[in-house]
Amino acid sequence: MDEIFKQQVYEVARLIPKGRVSTYGAIAKAVGYPNHSRHVGKAMGGCPEDVPAHRVISSSGTLSVPEFQKKLEAEGITVENLRIKGFKKLFWDPMDEL
């Protein structure tokens, strides 16, 4: 995977506010690769500790990594059956917010 792509993904993910979530697809679109959400997922799998990977979820509002539930709940996000409650309201779209 291209190192520049990964760094761009990490930079966008670092901007997701506490208590909000974004999606792999939204981040892929924000870095100029709208059809590369899986690549964003792969990049997030090995991201540095200062990247809030727990705030990046699937477009259906479902957690891809169940272990992230505790981190999200610590930020005030309700998770039921691995789904973000009120996902649409909590969704942070980098294309609109940057």
Side-chain angles (χ1 to χ4, degrees):
M1 183 176 304
D2 182 57
E3 193 61 34
I4 294 171
F5 175 80
K6 288 199 303 191
Q7 292 305 317
Q8 290 174 327
V9 166
Y10 300 156
E11 287 303 313
V12 173
R14 284 184 184 108
L15 298 172
I16 303 169
K18 194 175 193 176
R20 304 280 301 277
V21 292
S22 194
T23 64
Y24 300 106
I27 291 174
K29 188 174 180 182
V31 298
Y33 293 91
N35 299 316
H36 289 74
S37 56
R38 288 181 190 225
H39 294 284
V40 172
K42 277 189 170 185
M44 296 306 288
C47 68
E49 278 192 36
D50 68 323
V51 176
H54 62 284
R55 295 180 191 149
V56 184
I57 62 172
S58 72
S59 60
S60 64
T62 305
L63 298 186
S64 301
V65 182
E67 293 79 18
F68 288 163
Q69 181 170 341
K70 286 183 182 170
K71 286 185 175 185
L72 289 168
E73 288 174 340
E75 294 184 6
I77 296 174
T78 303
V79 181
E80 292 178 357
N81 297 323
L82 299 179
R83 295 183 68 87
I84 304 293
K85 192 166 185 172
F87 168 64
K88 289 188 191 299
K89 194 167 76 170
L90 298 174
F91 176 62
W92 182 82
D93 187 346
M95 296 299 284
D96 290 341
E97 311 235 11
L98 292 181

